[in-house]
Amino acid sequence: MDYVYHMVPKEMKGEFLTSLNEIKLMHPELYETYSRKYFNHPERASLLLKSIPKLNCLWNDVIFLLPLHPYYVYEALHSLGVSTKKDLMFYEIPTEKLVENKNAVYFCNKENYKGPATDIPDEEVKIIDIIFYQVCSALPSDTLAYFTDEHKKGVNFGMFAYIPHILSLGNINVKGINKINWSVAPVKT
């Protein structure tokens, strides 16, 4: 069975992961909390209005999922000496939980990324059948290079840069879903 991952929200209402736009309608107080990160950089606020090709929706209409066990992100950051929390928890979501949603992969290629204020190139998004999608088994080399460069600069940086993202248009029921600590290595089977 393949899994995708989503950081467990500090505050959540109900048993479903929902998009930021849906949270805005249903729980405005949570929207204020979770939209804050988009206003910590002059260009990031534009993400809230960014259109996603092929899904025909906005950035904040989808749920962003990591197609890689979060331990690999933690391990890379930790090995560089980046100060990170050891206790970040993630939902380990079986891909079959997404079959009713419309799903796409956003490749996040370094060559095509021109910043948060620019449009997502059409070729960066591909509609997928989530059951047949092969999850990532290693951190992309561009991500590791980015972590290394940004850490040397001593600036805050994104933890998921240049890692393909699964974009899921629809809610995800997380009742009974396993929660994992990103600092614990996955068990090899």
Side-chain angles (χ1 to χ4, degrees), residues 108-171:
C108 304
N109 287 321
K110 182 179 180 181
E111 300 80 36
N112 293 333
Y113 184 72
K114 306 294 183 223
T118 61
D119 290 340
I120 297 171
D122 199 57
E123 65 272 13
E124 283 290 296
V125 176
K126 179 183 175 189
I127 300 295
I128 58 170
D129 181 337
I130 195 67
I131 295 300
F132 298 107
Y133 181 73
Q134 294 293 310
V135 296
C136 301
S137 58
L139 198 65
S141 58
D142 284 340
T143 302
L144 189 53
Y146 168 81
F147 287 171
T148 303
D149 293 344
E150 296 302 300
H151 182 57
K152 284 179 185 173
K153 293 176 190 174
V155 297
N156 288 333
F157 55 90
M159 293 191 309
F160 306 112
Y162 310 125
I163 300 173
H165 292 55
I166 300 298
L167 310 180
S168 194
L169 185 58
N171 296 328

Side-chain angles (χ1 to χ4, degrees), residues 14-33:
E15 299 171 336
F16 289 86
L17 291 175
T18 59
S19 71
L20 196 55
N21 273 345
E22 196 166 326
I23 290 171
K24 185 177 185 177
L25 293 173
M26 296 170 41
H27 307 287
E29 70 287 353
L30 285 182
Y31 175 81
E32 290 299 319
T33 299

Side-chain angles (χ1 to χ4, degrees), residues 40-124:
N40 66 2
H41 182 280
E43 292 185 335
R44 281 200 69 167
S46 63
L47 286 172
L48 297 174
L49 301 174
K50 187 177 277 206
S51 178
I52 298 176
K54 299 179 183 160
L55 284 178
N56 301 317
C57 65
L58 296 176
W59 180 271
N60 45 342
D61 285 328
V62 298
I63 299 168
F64 288 78
L65 301 160
L66 188 63
L68 170 80
H69 194 289
Y71 173 76
Y72 300 112
V73 177
Y74 170 81
E75 178 185 47
L77 294 170
H78 186 69
S79 70
L80 291 170
V82 175
S83 178
T84 57
K85 295 179 181 180
K86 273 189 109 169
D87 60 349
L88 277 183
M89 300 300 289
F90 283 77
Y91 285 116
E92 184 177 51
I93 304 167
T95 53
E96 58 251 4
K97 287 278 195 176
L98 308 178
V99 295
E100 299 298 320
N101 294 358
K102 188 171 183 182
N103 300 291
V105 61
Y106 171 34
F107 293 105
C108 304
N109 287 321
K110 182 179 180 181
E111 300 80 36
N112 293 333
Y113 184 72
K114 306 294 183 223
T118 61
D119 290 340
I120 297 171
D122 199 57
E123 65 272 13
E124 283 290 296

